[in-house]
Amino acid sequence: MRTEIEKTVAEIEQVLTLLRRHLDWDTAQLRLDALTAQTESPEFWNDPEKARVTMRERDELDVAVKTVRELEAGIRDNVELIELGEAEGDEEIVRDAEQALIDLKATARRTQIETLLSGEVDANDCYVEIHSGAGGTESQDWANMLLRMYTRWAERRKMKVDVLEMHDGEEAGIKSATIQVKGHNAYGWLKTESGVHRLVRISPYDSAARRHTSFSSVWVYPVIDDSIDIVINESDLKVDTYRASGAGGQHVNTTDSAIRITHVPSGIIVACQQERSQHKNRATAMAMLKSRLYEMELQKREEAANAQAANKTDIGWGHQIRSYVLQPYQMVKDLRTGVESGQPSVVLDGDLDEFMEAALAQRVGVATDVTSED
């Protein structure tokens, strides 16, 4: 094998060693067998809440164990193919197997980062809030582009997205929106996106075709379950009802079913207009408020290690975490990690993994490349 391919194999094996150590490999396999046996018991669902927790642990462990085994098999099979191709002089087999190993290296790096997501709520679903900055229609259109970008990212990962609240702009775009992303490690991945995002482009709303700079903020916080007890005093809440906005015609909501809750001591405001029932919207808004308060506490504890204050500053110059430049050149650059991509249209279509991976790697101390080949 060529030296670079031997190096690639060695790097994958190094990641496998770290993954096995992180999982405590022998113990993990025994634990998976025990959890699987529990789920097959006839009495398993007698306690639905306990069953749900057990199933989640079992599924996460199953994915981790299968991934390690697939990486091991990938190395073994492709090394054998390379040796076979070299022995028979078949360059096509060799090239295909070498490319498969290169792809396997990228998978191993991503798996390593994802496995090391060890925060209390990294595995949970999450809420994503998007707010347009100053600049009227321009910023509101940019906020809408960000909403689409995160929706597309979630769809690529087979995650579910629910729109909980949305305020349309006067002419185009949105003033704000809140979505819930449901999927394994949704918060662990998306938490790196909190901050101010900057767009530079020729404005489609400017008749003089001038270049405009727009800002929008993104704030990500985890969905918390009943195992985390957050006490909220009703006297600390200001609750407002309003008529939900949305499409016209038969979709117009004619009742004040949307709910906005302000937590006076912290100044946190949450809103939900997803359901036609005011009661259901209030329950969802309260769940969002608990999550926001929990996330605030997490931020306090992690403030020394994580610069998460961007979403508490002005949405403008000096506070952005990433720039998306469409004119006069094509470039997306993360200002924290230095990762760049020369294909902003692809990034805006939800291809965010390399940016998220770099941000997570920076947190857990995993080496990663900083420049996209695109």
Side-chain angles (χ1 to χ4, degrees), residues 230-241:
I230 304 293
V231 178
I232 299 176
N233 295 323
E234 286 290 331
S235 59
D236 291 337
L237 303 180
K238 179 177 180 291
V239 181
D240 298 305
T241 60

Side-chain angles (χ1 to χ4, degrees), residues 263-277:
H263 185 249
V264 177
S266 65
I268 291 174
I269 300 173
V270 294
C272 182
Q273 62 182 47
Q274 180 188 31
E275 306 288 347
R276 290 186 176 272
S277 162

Side-chain angles (χ1 to χ4, degrees), residues 149-150 153 193 322 324 347 350-356:
M149 181 178 76
Y150 291 118
W153 175 85
E193 293 298 295
R322 190 177 303 144
Y324 307 71
V347 175
D351 189 2
L352 292 165
D353 283 359
E354 70 171 322
F355 293 97
M356 293 179 176

Side-chain angles (χ1 to χ4, degrees), residues 207-228:
S207 58
R210 291 170 293 189
R211 193 163 68 244
H212 283 246
T213 299
S214 306
F215 298 93
S216 288
S217 69
V218 175
W219 191 353
V220 181
Y221 50 101
V223 174
I224 60 173
D225 55 36
D226 293 337
S227 64
I228 300 174

Side-chain angles (χ1 to χ4, degrees), residues 282-297:
R282 192 182 196 282
T284 300
M286 283 298 294
M288 292 166 64
L289 177 58
K290 288 183 178 181
S291 293
R292 285 280 295 272
L293 289 169
Y294 179 73
E295 193 261 353
M296 178 183 288
E297 181 59 31

Side-chain angles (χ1 to χ4, degrees), residues 320-340:
Q320 63 265 24
I321 63 167
R322 190 177 303 144
S323 288
Y324 307 71
V325 181
L326 307 185
Q327 290 288 343
Y329 54 89
Q330 299 270 305
M331 179 68 70
V332 179
K333 181 172 183 177
D334 195 290
L335 305 179
R336 303 161 299 176
T337 63
V339 168
E340 297 179 355

Side-chain angles (χ1 to χ4, degrees), residues 159-325:
M159 296 184 182
K160 183 181 179 183
V161 177
D162 290 335
V163 178
L164 302 181
E165 176 270 337
M166 184 183 297
H167 286 285
D168 295 330
E170 286 86 357
E171 297 179 31
I174 58 172
K175 294 180 179 178
S176 67
T178 303
I179 60 174
Q180 183 175 350
V181 181
K182 300 177 179 179
H184 177 57
N185 280 337
Y187 177 66
W189 284 104
L190 281 165
K191 67 183 180 183
T192 62
E193 293 298 295
S194 287
V196 177
H197 297 247
R198 170 179 174 251
L199 173 70
V200 180
R201 65 171 175 174
I202 300 296
S203 171
Y205 305 101
D206 187 336
S207 58
R210 291 170 293 189
R211 193 163 68 244
H212 283 246
T213 299
S214 306
F215 298 93
S216 288
S217 69
V218 175
W219 191 353
V220 181
Y221 50 101
V223 174
I224 60 173
D225 55 36
D226 293 337
S227 64
I228 300 174
D229 188 24
I230 304 293
V231 178
I232 299 176
N233 295 323
E234 286 290 331
S235 59
D236 291 337
L237 303 180
K238 179 177 180 291
V239 181
D240 298 305
T241 60
Y242 61 98
R243 189 163 299 176
S245 60
Q250 63 180 339
H251 301 289
V252 170
N253 194 339
T254 58
T255 62
D256 292 341
S257 61
I259 291 288
R260 181 186 298 109
I261 300 177
T262 303
H263 185 249
V264 177
S266 65
I268 291 174
I269 300 173
V270 294
C272 182
Q273 62 182 47
Q274 180 188 31
E275 306 288 347
R276 290 186 176 272
S277 162
Q278 187 181 113
H279 176 73
K280 290 182 180 179
N281 283 332
R282 192 182 196 282
T284 300
M286 283 298 294
M288 292 166 64
L289 177 58
K290 288 183 178 181
S291 293
R292 285 280 295 272
L293 289 169
Y294 179 73
E295 193 261 353
M296 178 183 288
E297 181 59 31
L298 284 181
Q299 282 191 346
K300 288 178 182 177
R301 279 191 259 158
E302 299 173 0
E303 195 169 13
N306 301 311
Q308 293 284 340
N311 48 44
K312 292 182 174 64
T313 62
D314 295 334
I315 305 176
W317 289 100
H319 307 300
Q320 63 265 24
I321 63 167
R322 190 177 303 144
S323 288
Y324 307 71
V325 181

